[in-house]
Amino acid sequence: METKLQLIFTLCTLISITVFRVVGGSVQLEINGSVSEFDEFTWIFNESVSVLKYYKKYKDVTLSPRYKHRVEFNMETCSLILKNLQKTDSGLYKVKASNALQTTILCVHRLSVSDPVEAPVLTLSNSADPCNSTLTCRGHDLSVSSMCSYRTCEEKEVTSPGGVALSLSVRDSTIICNHSNPVSWKQENITFTHLFAHTGTHTHTHTVV
Ligand SMILES: *[C@@H]1O[C@H](CO)[C@@H](O)[C@H](O)[C@H]1NC(C)=O
Ligand SMILES: *[C@@H]1O[C@H](CO)[C@@H](O)[C@H](O)[C@H]1NC(C)=O
Ligand SMILES: *[C@@H]1O[C@H](CO)[C@@H](O)[C@H](O)[C@H]1NC(C)=O
Ligand SMILES: *[C@@H]1O[C@H](CO)[C@@H](O)[C@H](O)[C@H]1NC(C)=O
Ligand SMILES: *[C@@H]1O[C@H](CO)[C@@H](O)[C@H](O)[C@H]1NC(C)=O
């Protein structure tokens, strides 16, 4: 029994899909199985933290104090809505379901909660030579630099392991820097006309708040 449970736990971890949410947001987690087959359900976070216990026969729901005021539970479907998400809610959620004959794990999802990205900042250097200027876009710990002239800019993109990306692209006559992560994006843009309007002056910084 122990070994079989262990195996199911491992399988769940392998096949789980990651759900991305922003800090303060909410998520609905569904069970993967039939509610009618079981008598008792326990939502478990990160293998060991009990979120909620449900005894179907008595319609008895016991909520862990850690989750007070931010959980909604549906007795029909056994789905769990977690509200006011914090980064510490990131991890694996699953349900242990049992009846008189067996205890099994109904696989669920991995949750990843992150802050929205900061707005990127565009900076032009070497603007003395409009035929050869460098436009740099920074966002948190990423940055991209492109060679730009009156009409063109190299398009570039960098990504970091957490799914954070920073890209410089040109659309119509606008240079767009896009800072994104799996839950949000913010852009900063500048037109070529604007960019080279101050040719000869010092470094030009343009920020939209
Ligand atoms: C939950 O587990 C994840 C790894 O799956 C870990 O990164 C995270 O820190 C854990 N969270 C808590 C609150 O223990
Ligand atoms: C749900 O269960 C089905 C079959 O039992 C399985 O194929 C599927 O991968 C499971 N999905 C998740 C998210 O655990
Ligand atoms: C543009 O400027 C960089 C450094 O300022 C220099 O290395 C490069 O050769 C210049 N390119 C052209 C086409 O002038
Ligand atoms: C920025 O990137 C995100 C994620 O790739 C995308 O959904 C969004 O449309 C982009 N925004 C702009 C202005 O290109
Ligand atoms: C440029 O930024 C402004 C202000 O954020 C936005 O309203 C506009 O749609 C952007 N333009 C493009 C082409 O993305």
Side-chain angles (χ1 to χ4, degrees):
M1 191 66 194
E2 270 311 299
T3 325
K4 194 181 162 207
L5 257 186
Q6 210 59 54
L7 183 66
I8 296 169
F9 262 120
T10 312
L11 274 175
C12 284
T13 311
L14 289 176
I15 66 171
S16 64
I17 300 156
T18 302
V19 182
F20 295 96
R21 288 292 183 276
V22 70
V23 168
S26 67
V27 67
Q28 178 162 1
L29 302 170
E30 308 282 350
I31 65 162
N32 188 20
S34 146
V35 175
S36 60
E37 266 182 59
F38 303 95
D39 306 322
E40 216 181 294
F41 301 83
T42 309
W43 272 94
I44 298 164
F45 168 58
N46 266 10
E47 315 293 351
S48 57
V49 183
S50 159
V51 178
L52 180 145
K53 276 192 207 302
Y54 174 50
Y55 297 93
K56 204 171 69 186
K57 194 172 165 188
Y58 306 108
K59 291 200 184 314
D60 178 39
V61 178
T62 310
L63 188 60
S64 144
R66 180 187 150 128
Y67 294 92
K68 277 257 155 65
H69 309 304
R70 56 189 201 100
V71 160
E72 266 173 38
F73 179 69
N74 184 319
M75 293 190 199
E76 306 293 309
T77 60
C78 273
S79 71
L80 189 77
I81 298 177
L82 274 177
K83 295 181 289 188
N84 190 18
L85 291 170
Q86 303 303 312
K87 278 183 270 188
T88 48
D89 291 325
S90 300
L92 199 69
Y93 289 81
K94 49 191 143 197
V95 172
K96 193 166 85 181
S98 52
N99 56 27
L101 301 172
Q102 60 160 336
T103 293
T104 189
I105 300 301
L106 305 176
C107 304
V108 285
H109 301 290
R110 189 175 283 283
L111 177 67
S112 170
V113 182
S114 33
D115 283 319
V117 286
E118 295 160 22
V121 176
L122 272 170
T123 312
L124 180 71
S125 52
N126 191 28
S127 60
D129 176 6
C131 296
N132 181 13
S133 293
T134 305
L135 190 64
T136 301
C137 184
R138 288 194 180 79
H140 197 55
D141 50 0
L142 292 177
S143 92
V144 276
S145 289
S146 290
M147 300 292 286
C148 297
S149 72
Y150 279 125
R151 294 267 160 267
T152 58
C153 242
E154 295 169 272
E155 300 206 321
K156 278 193 181 160
E157 175 160 8
V158 287
T159 53
S160 73
V164 182
L166 192 69
S167 69
L168 253 181
S169 58
V170 177
R171 204 177 299 155
D172 301 324
S173 50
T174 307
I175 306 159
I176 297 167
C177 179
N178 189 0
H179 190 204
S180 63
N181 69 7
V183 297
S184 67
W185 61 267
K186 287 198 177 81
Q187 61 100 28
E188 163 65 24
N189 65 56
I190 188 164
T191 61
F192 283 99
T193 318
H194 235 96
L195 187 57
F196 293 106
H198 311 287
T199 301
T201 64
H202 44 78
T203 302
H204 176 85
T205 309
H206 179 77
T207 313
V208 171
V209 182

